Amino acid sequence: SAGPNQLRDPGFESPPLSAWALLVEPPADALLASDPIAPAGGSRSARIDISSGAGARGAIALVQEGVALEAGRRYRVTVRARADEPREFRVNVTSPGGGTYAARVLTAGTGWAAFELDFVAIVDDPAASVRFELGRSAVTTWFDDAALAPIAD
């Protein structure tokens, strides 16, 4: 069974989504919106409109910082996603210095689907980040019901 969700505003229900940041590295160009139309759950989802996808996956990233991890604990990141057309995205859990604890490339389709990534934290980190990375493609993408929670071994 999973423990409590460590993410704030996991359902993107609180515009202007201040618990989240959309990080965009030029020449990529994208905007984050709180979308009331057809969320996976609750009354809203996060919509990322991408006018230029640019090169690296990490060039566009929906990020929540300040997530605490405990060494030796197993965690699961879950999120629901959909896109205007099938596209890849990467779930990436990182350290404040930019190191990767766990990452997985997944494919979102045109209907809502659930995605997950399990990992074991190797160090205590009070300030990890959860990143949903959208570079390499200019396809509009939605996220909802995000979570990072400890799970039983």
Side-chain angles (χ1 to χ4, degrees):
S1 65
N5 189 353
Q6 313 280 45
L7 301 182
R8 304 174 304 285
D9 193 18
F12 307 98
E13 300 292 319
S14 304
L17 305 181
S18 55
W20 297 89
L22 187 68
L23 304 183
V24 182
E25 299 170 6
D29 194 15
L31 293 171
L32 171 63
S34 175
D35 192 347
I37 299 170
S43 59
R44 292 178 172 273
S45 66
R47 184 184 77 233
I48 298 92
D49 295 306
I50 303 169
S51 50
S52 173
R57 286 190 204 279
I60 301 169
L62 182 62
V63 181
Q64 185 163 134
E65 299 178 331
V67 179
L69 302 176
E70 291 178 37
R73 291 200 79 170
R74 182 177 295 276
Y75 293 90
R76 176 171 291 160
V77 179
T78 53
V79 69
R80 294 184 188 277
R82 68 179 177 93
D84 267 344
E85 58 190 65
R87 63 152 301 152
E88 290 184 343
F89 69 99
R90 182 168 62 187
V91 179
N92 197 359
V93 182
T94 62
S95 70
T100 293
Y101 294 131
R104 187 175 181 190
V105 175
L106 300 157
T107 300
T110 56
W112 286 112
F115 300 90
E116 61 186 41
L117 166 66
D118 290 1
F119 69 100
V120 175
I122 52 171
V123 294
D124 287 326
D125 187 344
S129 293
V130 174
R131 301 169 52 95
F132 302 117
E133 298 178 343
L134 292 167
R136 296 194 182 172
S137 167
V139 175
T140 299
T141 309
W142 289 259
F143 293 108
D144 207 352
D145 298 337
L148 181 144
I151 56 173
D153 289 325

